[in-house]
Amino acid sequence: ALRFPITGTKGPSPIHEKQPQTINPPPNFTVATMIPSFLKGSLLRLGPGLFEVGDEPFYHLFDGQALMHKFDFKNGQVTYFNKYVKTDAYVRAITEKRVVITEFGTFAYPDPCKNIFSRFFTYFKGVEVTDNCLVNVYPIGEDYYAVTETNYITKVNTDTLDTLKKVDLCNYVNINGVTAHPHIERDGTVFNIGNCMGKGASLAYNVVRIPPTQKDKSDPIEKSKVVVQFPSAERFKPSYVHSFGMSENYFVFVETPVKINLLKFLSAWSIRGSNYMDCFESNEVLGTLFHIARKDIGGGQGEYIDHKFRAAPINLFHHINTYEDNGFIVADVCTWKGFEFVYNYLWLANLRSNWEEVKKAAMMAPQPEVRRYVIPLDIHREEQGKNLICLPYTTATAVMRTDGTIWLEPEVLFSGPRQAFEFPQINYEKHGGKNYSYAYALGLNHFIPDRIIKLNVKTKETWVWQEPDSYPSEPLFVQTPDGVDEDDGVLLTVVVSPGAQKSGYMLILNAKDMSEIARAEVDCPIPVTFHGMYKK
């Protein structure tokens, strides 16, 4: 039976608190085994590593406690080690041998050893938000932070993987939480988005700007500010936001019908004991709203453009790329058709089922599809019923309706039955926010990550790397220093093989043709990872 590649431990273990080890390609490996000499940095990855504490299990894929992995490249060799991120959620769980802080799909019950009065007051002390930063890692100034999607980010030492400090972004900007997918400009400026309570207790979404490294060596986070605000379609029900689009001059925010019921969220812990997943609901009536805003109209402030762009209901987690072309914004995104929340299918019990059960569940889930939406910047109300898009290379349309809204129909760039193109990456350094040709992604077969895919977004041609019993992670693109073409570079991914009785390995692919360049095996189990970065 094929099982989802989830491994982990019940507590800190030599398996996962791994000391540095030098790893080389296996001696019987026949493909070219030379690690490219230009790789002289570190591949950093984050994901869940601890799925049980004492006798208490975590129930959802996004509940496992954060484990950070590091592959160092030097002189044709790779050194690997990992450490748990010592968040409050992790330290308290290990200390008390139970789930102490409620995670995405696991509710933390009060300590059973406490008396009834202590338990009573625990229920009414408010929501204790998790800092379990298992999703991604990115730089702010000269520092690096492991992150999830709450208001807490965790500063880490990327040389030793030591945990340095917990930072509450609420201390600096009006934000309830931010995504794990910021946009970072070449000078180091960081943009991110999250929901917030605005004027008159109205709900909104704020785009936050964190400046680059400061000349006076002060912390850039202290100079964070909100640059633009998007309105919410519903007052007490924000959409779930996992990422957003940014071109050279515009932000694109997609408000989906997957909602967080704030009233339920704020009352759930005190009334009946609940987790984050219990607070999601879908509203198919609303469909999907596309919002745009100018990045900078002067003084570092943006401006919301009050046009109503609507589309059919979708789930959206990852933007691929967003760029401008002749008065239009082109937004390429990884979608799941429909309004049902895809995370409903990521409970560990479902993913650990046998292959036939996994496929049966996936057949009921929304269908994945890579889509291109095109948003016109120049709107004329008198052009009702006419396609406002005149770019010659896309079939996407935008049509003005009688109520003044613009209905968007996408062009499909990639689609296959239950085959998802997810965790996308591009040559971000040179083509982020600009016209581009190539995207790379993790291929999900009925939610099982079993391939790496390259997609030409202009021709829709695809290339695939795949091996039996091998489950890769998000591919990260690293450009060849003297590269000229957009795809001159390599892809780095971590592959796990839990059912094949062989080690996991770090895999290097040629980004041009997806051929294998090298692999380096690790002599310990590696759990699945979500996102990461290549640090030069």
Side-chain angles (χ1 to χ4, degrees):
L2 174 63
R3 291 181 180 273
F4 192 76
I6 299 170
T7 57
T9 63
K10 291 187 177 182
S13 161
I15 291 177
H16 286 305
E17 289 283 354
K18 196 71 179 178
Q19 296 301 311
Q21 58 165 316
T22 300
I23 53 180
N24 292 295
N28 61 347
F29 189 56
T30 56
V31 179
T33 58
M34 180 62 71
I35 304 293
S37 59
F38 71 86
L39 289 175
K40 298 177 181 178
S42 300
L43 173 65
L44 302 171
R45 302 288 306 173
L46 266 164
L50 182 69
F51 291 98
E52 294 180 3
V53 183
D55 295 326
E56 296 186 9
F58 292 103
Y59 294 108
H60 199 274
L61 181 60
F62 300 148
D63 294 345
Q65 297 300 291
L67 181 65
M68 194 168 191
H69 309 258
K70 183 186 181 190
F71 293 84
D72 283 326
F73 300 90
K74 186 176 182 181
N75 300 326
Q77 290 186 323
V78 186
T79 301
Y80 168 79
F81 71 111
N82 61 34
K83 281 186 181 179
Y84 283 102
V85 186
K86 304 305 190 294
T87 61
D88 286 350
Y90 173 84
V91 172
R92 291 173 61 185
I94 296 303
T95 301
E96 299 188 33
K97 296 182 175 57
R98 66 184 186 90
V99 179
V100 178
I101 298 178
T102 293
E103 299 292 350
F104 200 76
T106 305
F107 174 69
Y109 290 94
D111 187 347
C113 295
K114 293 181 178 179
N115 64 40
I116 188 171
F117 296 104
S118 297
R119 293 201 300 271
F120 176 83
F121 287 111
T122 298
Y123 278 119
F124 288 91
K125 68 181 181 181
V127 177
E128 189 168 17
V129 176
T130 182
D131 62 345
N132 181 25
C133 49
L134 76 163
V135 182
N136 204 358
V137 56
Y138 61 83
I140 298 178
E142 296 180 345
D143 301 317
Y144 291 83
Y145 290 84
V147 301
T148 179
E149 296 182 329
T150 68
N151 52 299
Y152 295 119
I153 60 177
T154 302
K155 185 176 176 180
V156 293
N157 182 321
T158 53
D159 292 326
T160 64
L161 300 191
D162 289 338
T163 303
L164 300 179
K165 71 173 182 178
K166 174 179 175 178
V167 176
D168 184 354
L169 293 174
C170 290
N171 293 333
Y172 306 99
V173 284
N174 180 17
I175 208 83
N176 294 332
V178 294
T179 78
H181 294 288
H183 284 282
I184 303 177
E185 297 189 317
R186 290 186 180 182
D187 68 353
T189 301
V190 176
F191 289 97
N192 212 336
I193 191 171
N195 59 62
C196 69
M197 296 302 293
K199 296 179 180 178
S202 61
L203 188 68
Y205 309 88
N206 280 345
V207 176
V208 175
R209 178 185 184 272
I210 305 177
T213 302
Q214 302 294 290
K215 293 181 180 179
D216 60 4
K217 300 300 180 182
S218 60
D219 187 350
I221 294 177
E222 296 177 355
K223 296 179 174 59
S224 302
K225 69 174 185 177
V226 174
V227 295
V228 70
Q229 187 173 91
F230 294 105
S232 174
E234 293 189 88
R235 183 170 183 179
F236 295 111
K237 295 179 181 180
S239 288
Y240 174 67
V241 185
H242 192 83
S243 65
F244 66 110
M246 188 178 85
S247 65
E248 290 188 87
N249 299 293
Y250 293 89
F251 299 116
V252 175
F253 164 56
V254 182
E255 193 175 15
T256 73
V258 177
K259 303 292 184 178
I260 305 169
N261 188 320
L262 282 188
L263 296 180
K264 185 184 293 185
F265 178 85
L266 294 173
S267 63
W269 276 257
S270 61
I271 295 177
R272 57 186 176 84
S274 187
N275 57 57
Y276 295 87
M277 280 292 292
D278 292 330
C279 301
F280 286 100
E281 59 185 49
S282 296
N283 188 339
E284 67 274 22
V285 176
L286 290 178
T288 302
L289 297 174
F290 283 71
H291 300 274
I292 60 174
R294 294 181 182 88
K295 277 175 62 177
D296 193 344
I297 60 171
Q301 286 298 125
E303 180 184 50
Y304 176 63
I305 299 174
D306 192 14
H307 291 315
K308 297 295 187 295
F309 299 99
R310 296 185 177 274
I314 57 172
N315 279 223
L316 170 59
F317 305 105
H318 299 112
H319 286 247
I320 301 175
N321 197 21
T322 305
Y323 65 90
E324 302 154 38
D325 189 358
N326 288 313
F328 300 95
I329 298 175
V330 179
D332 293 348
V333 291
C334 300
T335 70
W336 300 74
K337 294 190 288 186
F339 55 87
E340 185 187 4
F341 196 24
V342 170
Y343 288 179
N344 291 335
Y345 294 87
L346 299 182
W347 294 99
L348 294 179
N350 295 341
L351 296 174
R352 285 169 168 158
S353 299
N354 64 57
W355 181 225
E356 292 305 316
E357 290 299 318
V358 169
K359 287 197 295 183
K360 186 184 298 183
M363 292 302 291
M364 298 183 290
Q367 168 69 19
E369 201 168 72
V370 177
R371 293 179 170 186
R372 167 166 288 177
Y373 290 90
V374 180
I375 302 170
L377 293 171
D378 188 14
I379 305 298
H380 298 285
R381 291 184 61 87
E382 63 271 16
E383 297 182 326
Q384 292 178 12
K386 175 185 175 183
N387 178 21
L388 304 178
I389 309 302
C390 58
L391 294 178
Y393 54 79
T394 182
T395 58
T397 62
V399 176
M400 175 74 75
R401 291 182 162 183
T402 56
D403 61 0
T405 62
I406 299 97
W407 183 262
L408 303 179
E409 285 290 344
E411 175 185 4
V412 176
L413 302 182
F414 177 91
S415 182
R418 312 302 157 187
Q419 303 295 314
F421 183 96
E422 267 291 356
F423 297 82
Q425 292 287 319
I426 63 170
N427 184 341
Y428 187 86
E429 189 171 328
K430 287 197 171 182
H431 290 270
K434 300 178 181 178
N435 202 333
Y436 75 118
S437 296
Y438 301 109
Y440 313 90
L442 181 63
L444 304 181
N445 175 18
H446 295 76
F447 293 112
I448 303 300
D450 67 354
R451 70 198 69 185
I452 299 294
I453 307 174
K454 175 183 179 178
L455 170 66
N456 185 323
V457 299
K458 297 185 185 302
T459 67
K460 303 180 185 177
E461 183 180 6
T462 59
W463 298 257
V464 174
W465 177 91
Q466 188 174 26
E467 267 193 15
D469 300 315
S470 297
Y471 308 99
S473 61
E474 167 195 61
L476 292 177
F477 179 88
V478 182
Q479 181 156 19
T480 306
D482 57 354
V484 176
D485 295 336
E486 179 183 337
D487 57 352
D488 279 339
V490 299
L491 299 177
L492 305 179
T493 183
V494 180
V495 183
V496 300
S497 306
Q501 303 303 311
K502 62 182 181 181
S503 301
Y505 53 94
M506 191 280 305
L507 176 68
I508 305 175
L509 299 176
N510 186 325
K512 274 195 172 293
D513 59 10
M514 301 297 283
S515 62
E516 187 164 334
I517 295 174
R519 66 174 68 180
E521 293 188 350
V522 180
D523 66 358
C524 70
I526 301 178
V528 65
T529 61
F530 294 140
H531 299 287
M533 64 170 290
Y534 178 74
K535 177 189 173 188
K536 294 182 179 179

